[in-house]
Amino acid sequence: MSLVSISGLHKHFGTNHVLKGIDLQVEQGDVIALIGRSGSGKSTLLRTINGLESIDEGELVVDGTALHHGEGDLRALRQKVGMVFQQFNLFPHLTAGQNVMLAPTVVKKLSKKETEDIAKEMLLKVGLSDKFHAFPDQLSGGQQQRVAIARALAMRPKVMLCDEITSALDPELVNEVLAVVQQLAAEGMTLIMVTHEMRFARDVGNKLIFMHHGRIHESGDPRIILADPQTPELANFTRAVM
Amino acid sequence: MFVQFTTWDIVRNLLEGGKWTLALSLIAFVLGGTAGLLVLFLRMARNRVAQALAKGYIELFQGTPLLMQLFIVFFGLPLAGIDVSPWLAAALGLTLFTSAYLAEIWRGCVESVPRGQWEASASLALGFTQQMRHVILPQALRVAIAPTVGFSVQVVKGTAVTSIIGFTELTKTGSMLANATFQPFLVFGLVAAGYFALCYPLSLYAKSLERKFHVAR
């Protein structure tokens, strides 16, 4: 059974039909890049996977936890799905270490010792073990985003969602964040990322999904479909961004 | 029979009344703040009924004069068979008034916390109360301190209205002294000075807090 299984998913914002029947299977260890023009529904699709957007129709199952039409246990679902945002969204009143420790402490009710160990382990993984006591505003954008990744990893999610996580970064800071993501992929983490980094999508992803007008317009191995798009829409898109 | 009042007698009596003004202000502020936090949680809750109740409560108290609220507590509760002293009516009325205003002030502060903070904490599987307690309120608090201290000035001045239902605080003491001494200008001048002495430091404090947190951002 797939790790993430989406079937017949529809989503409206008022009269705007944003997702028009999405079917998607994500297997353990998949690294999926979601691409498409703005307004194509790619971010909305990503956000439905951890319940930040409700579902109007269809079904979503993550590792056995189901969500039908927006009903279901969101918190159980969210423990399995980590998310990293474009704007980092670190908690500014907490240090990097405390940011990582918060959810294991209050959601999983782990002891201080255990959560501290987790935080140290995760900060080490993203190369920031020396920043445990730094506040977010003392860190660069790239460092903040890496703390955000460590924070999501601390809940030991089955799948990580990345919503344009390098779009708010200065160009010279993009690579340090992508390097962390690449390392996660290499370790077998299941990743679904909305991205504009086409080269990264091609080099690291094993599946590419091109969204267009609320539907999955074309999908497949990124090396193949980016080199040889089957639809004029994807051909236009790749010409515009690559 | 005619009692002579020296200026010291007037001041001494006013200080006695001022004590009650201070006590009433503190009680209204502490209890009103506690109740206000409760109203705030209802107002921010995802449950629509709770939201509507809190909103109605806030609008009711913001849309009617404090004096009417006191009259309703003071004259209304006895109709329901509950006897209330002016002291109790004043404390209860001001507490309700304060809770509604503080809930609304704090709601503004909570809403000033960026949406990304809610989303990030939600995506980490925190529940509403956990989000509020660990993520949202600590950030809203920084913004809230200055307007909250600023509002405490309104509470202190609001206590003057309770003189009308017969609670003997600073203003009521002043009225009685004015009637007895035939020196209303002197007496009410001193009364005003008393309020100013309570409120001005609070205003200054609110301003300094505002500056401090403004710089810290």
Side-chain angles (χ1 to χ4, degrees):
Chain A
M1 171 141 179
S2 303
L3 182 59
V4 178
S5 164
I6 296 170
S7 51
L9 190 148
H10 285 260
K11 170 75 185 173
H12 302 255
F13 286 127
T15 55
N16 189 5
H17 197 171
V18 202
L19 296 177
K20 300 171 183 164
I22 303 289
D23 297 295
L24 176 64
Q25 306 294 320
V26 180
E27 307 302 329
Q28 172 76 45
D30 270 353
V31 177
I32 296 182
L34 279 172
I35 62 168
R37 291 180 199 282
S38 64
S40 61
K42 57 190 193 302
S43 267
T44 308
L45 173 59
L46 194 74
R47 290 161 57 86
T48 56
I49 299 176
N50 75 345
L52 282 182
E53 301 292 351
S54 62
I55 299 169
D56 295 332
E57 225 180 284
E59 191 186 53
L60 165 75
V61 185
V62 179
D63 190 35
T65 301
L67 202 68
H68 311 265
H69 314 296
E71 296 296 317
D73 189 348
L74 280 179
R75 294 185 65 191
L77 177 80
R78 285 169 176 164
Q79 293 205 33
K80 298 179 174 176
V81 184
M83 181 146 185
V84 184
F85 299 85
Q86 183 177 354
Q87 299 296 338
F88 329 139
N89 296 343
L90 289 184
F91 307 132
H93 60 297
L94 302 178
T95 63
Q98 290 169 330
N99 263 276
V100 181
M101 288 164 69
L102 181 66
T105 306
V106 307
V107 178
K108 291 194 169 166
K109 319 266 186 230
L110 299 182
S111 73
K112 188 158 191 288
K113 171 83 177 64
E114 288 171 297
T115 57
E116 256 175 24
D117 288 347
I118 292 174
K120 281 179 190 150
E121 177 195 338
M122 295 309 164
L123 286 176
L124 180 68
K125 196 190 261 286
V126 299
L128 291 172
S129 46
D130 56 329
K131 299 293 183 189
F132 193 97
H133 297 290
F135 282 93
D137 63 2
Q138 298 166 324
L139 300 173
S140 73
Q143 290 171 332
Q144 289 190 51
Q145 193 61 296
R146 282 146 69 197
V147 173
I149 292 170
R151 179 175 71 177
L153 288 174
M155 290 296 278
R156 311 218 184 265
K158 304 275 186 195
V159 49
M160 287 273 278
L161 311 177
C162 302
D163 193 2
E164 299 191 28
I165 62 171
T166 56
S167 298
L169 294 173
D170 291 335
E172 74 272 19
L173 302 176
V174 168
N175 283 335
E176 65 183 62
V177 172
L178 291 183
V180 170
V181 177
Q182 184 160 12
Q183 176 202 330
L184 288 180
E187 289 170 6
M189 173 61 80
T190 309
L191 289 159
I192 306 175
M193 49 195 184
V194 169
T195 185
H196 295 298
E197 302 287 337
M198 302 299 284
R199 274 191 30 213
F200 186 75
R202 189 182 56 202
D203 297 344
V204 178
N206 70 332
K207 189 172 181 186
L208 188 110
I209 292 174
F210 173 62
M211 297 275 299
H212 188 67
H213 290 323
R215 288 195 177 86
I216 294 178
H217 201 72
E218 193 169 338
S219 68
D221 185 318
R223 277 152 294 255
I224 295 169
I225 70 168
L226 284 179
D228 181 22
Q230 298 301 302
T231 60
E233 289 79 9
L234 178 57
N236 280 336
F237 181 77
T238 53
R239 218 174 303 128
V241 297
M242 286 185 91
Chain B
M1 214 177 95
F2 209 78
V3 185
Q4 281 295 325
F5 281 86
T6 64
T7 307
W8 168 240
D9 286 329
I10 295 173
V11 170
R12 195 166 42 82
N13 279 294
L14 286 179
L15 282 175
E16 186 62 27
K19 258 188 349 206
W20 288 103
T21 291
L22 192 61
L24 185 60
S25 304
L26 282 174
I27 284 175
F29 197 70
V30 171
L31 294 184
T34 312
L37 201 61
L38 211 76
V39 178
L40 173 70
F41 265 75
L42 292 177
R43 183 71 183 78
M44 302 305 299
R46 266 163 229 152
N47 184 319
R48 303 239 160 167
V49 180
Q51 263 183 37
L53 273 176
K55 198 162 172 228
Y57 179 87
I58 290 167
E59 303 214 324
L60 183 69
F61 284 96
Q62 288 197 333
T64 53
L66 174 59
L67 182 58
M68 294 309 125
Q69 296 161 21
L70 289 170
F71 278 169
I72 285 169
V73 172
F74 188 55
F75 298 118
L77 287 183
L79 286 181
I82 306 162
D83 214 20
V84 282
S85 64
W87 162 237
L88 189 62
L92 185 59
L94 268 173
T95 294
L96 296 175
F97 167 82
T98 306
S99 68
Y101 273 87
L102 284 181
E104 187 65 4
I105 289 171
W106 292 342
R107 183 181 69 92
C109 300
V110 165
E111 282 179 357
S112 77
V113 177
R115 208 169 62 118
Q117 296 288 310
W118 286 99
E119 293 191 344
S121 49
S123 76
L124 288 166
L126 271 69
F128 173 73
T129 312
Q130 293 171 337
Q131 287 179 290
M132 283 290 262
R133 170 156 167 234
H134 297 284
V135 177
I136 305 300
L137 287 184
Q139 294 181 61
L141 191 69
R142 283 165 53 106
V143 192
I145 290 173
T148 303
V149 174
F151 178 72
S152 67
V153 171
Q154 303 301 319
V155 177
V156 173
K157 292 193 287 188
T159 59
V161 177
T162 63
S163 63
I164 296 174
I165 58 168
F167 178 59
T168 316
E169 38 64 78
L170 186 56
T171 301
K172 177 76 176 170
T173 311
S175 314
M176 295 189 298
L177 286 168
N179 288 334
T181 61
F182 304 108
Q183 288 182 295
F185 185 74
L186 171 69
V187 171
F188 285 119
L190 288 170
V191 167
Y195 282 112
F196 190 74
L198 285 175
C199 293
Y200 187 58
L202 285 173
S203 300
L204 282 185
Y205 186 48
K207 268 201 201 97
S208 88
L209 286 173
E210 210 163 315
R211 216 172 305 126
K212 194 166 136 200
F213 284 112
H214 199 71
V215 172
R217 284 209 122 203

